[in-house]
Amino acid sequence: MDKAVLSIRNLSKSFGAIEASKDISLDVRAGEIHALIGPNGAGKSTLIQQIAGGLRPDAGQIVFQGEPVTHLTTVQRARLGLGRSFQVSAVVPDYTVLENIMLALHGRNRTAFRLFSNAFRDTALLAEARRHAERAELGDRLSIPAAALAHGERRLLELAMALSLKPKIFLLDEPMAGLGNDGTQRVTTLLAQLKTEAPILLVEHDMDAVFALADRISVLVYGRVIATGTRDEIRANADVRRAYLGDDEDAL
Ligand SMILES: Nc1ncnc2c1ncn2[C@@H]1O[C@H](COP(=O)(O)OP(=O)(O)OP(=O)(O)O)[C@@H](O)[C@H]1O
Ligand SMILES: [Mg+2]
């Protein structure tokens, strides 16, 4: 149960004088949502990018499903099921919800793009795309162009596309950002389901969502992990309260 799908070992990364990652070690276990929280500029996105392969660490190792992947490119990691990150999702505004998910499925299957004129007629793929849309509560929006979706629905579409890629881990950088209450609630519900398919490393500022979802939480401050633990452990941690919450004792 406690098997690590992803292990970060002693990762460090500097931008000039800024130490964005300082000797970071953490793991993401099968079946868990591991939230990564911390103030603005703490280094959360920098860590996600190093895991996905967009940024090269100065030191340390990334081990995915028991294999070191630190030397692999983004594309090679994606093929292993690592690093289908939220921020690289490519929704085509003029395509409908269903077409966008089909597009993601073709990307997964690496179907040649020149066959695309026939691509929307593949019935097996269509059925699969429909299933992913329905899971994201977009079943009644299938023929709506992505550009016409509400912000929260678009986020759900991006998640449906990420889900359709069948990653072995989800790396999500602020999936609730810019969503209202309703959108946040829908994404929260979906993430709770997603973790049964693959564990999630979740960067999120919305503390209600984090504390509703996370099995474990790591707190990053100035590039350093100052604590990792369960929700209760993090809530009770004096260092976390001091460093991350400042004087706001009620924030957690
Ligand atoms: N490409 C870059 N070049 C120089 N400095 C960078 C670069 N990317 C990030 N930084 C710096 O590294 C530090 C960590 O940034 P990062 O974006 O990882 O923080 P974050 O925790 O994701 O913040 P936020 O919560 O605001 O998204 C910051 O000081 C930032 O200015
Ligand atoms: Mg960030």
Side-chain angles (χ1 to χ4, degrees), residues 73-90:
T73 64
T74 305
V75 172
Q76 288 169 326
R77 292 181 207 199
R79 275 190 200 134
L80 295 176
L82 170 68
R84 310 289 197 168
S85 143
F86 214 67
Q87 291 177 333
V88 299
S89 76

Side-chain angles (χ1 to χ4, degrees), residues 21 60 84 95-96 105 116 130 140-141 169 175 195-196 251:
S21 306
R84 310 289 197 168
Y95 283 7
T96 67
L105 288 171
F116 201 67
R130 233 181 231 116
D140 57 350
R141 309 291 272 161
I169 187 168
K195 79 165 187 176
T196 63

Side-chain angles (χ1 to χ4, degrees), residues 15 18 20 39-46 174 205:
F15 299 109
I18 298 170
N40 291 117
K44 303 178 297 294
S45 296
T46 300
E174 300 196 36
H205 281 291

Side-chain angles (χ1 to χ4, degrees), residues 99 102 106 115-127:
E99 286 166 348
M102 293 287 284
H106 278 286
L115 298 179
F116 201 67
S117 53
N118 297 319
F120 295 137
R121 281 180 237 142
D122 182 326
T123 48
L125 225 51
L126 258 174

Side-chain angles (χ1 to χ4, degrees), residues 131-181:
R131 272 202 311 281
H132 292 304
E134 276 156 14
R135 285 201 52 194
E137 294 184 53
L138 292 169
D140 57 350
R141 309 291 272 161
L142 295 180
S143 52
I144 307 283
L149 294 175
H151 191 49
E153 289 176 329
R154 187 187 152 115
R155 196 55 60 80
L156 288 167
L157 171 58
E158 290 169 348
L159 276 174
M161 290 167 75
L163 172 64
S164 75
L165 299 174
K166 293 197 167 55
K168 301 287 192 337
I169 187 168
F170 291 101
L171 306 174
L172 303 180
D173 196 349
E174 300 196 36
M176 324 289 190
L179 299 186
N181 280 344

Side-chain angles (χ1 to χ4, degrees), residues 31 33 135 176 185-198 200 212-213 215:
I33 294 184
R135 285 201 52 194
M176 324 289 190
Q185 195 48 56
R186 290 172 76 175
V187 171
T188 300
T189 305
L190 183 57
L191 295 192
Q193 291 174 20
L194 281 194
K195 79 165 187 176
T196 63
E197 320 228 334
I200 301 174
L213 283 168
D215 298 290

Side-chain angles (χ1 to χ4, degrees), residues 22-51:
K22 285 188 214 172
D23 199 26
I24 294 177
S25 294
L26 60 84
D27 58 39
V28 181
R29 299 171 184 161
E32 79 169 348
I33 294 184
H34 191 141
L36 184 63
I37 64 173
N40 291 117
K44 303 178 297 294
S45 296
T46 300
L47 179 61
I48 295 282
Q49 286 178 53
Q50 289 173 91
I51 298 167

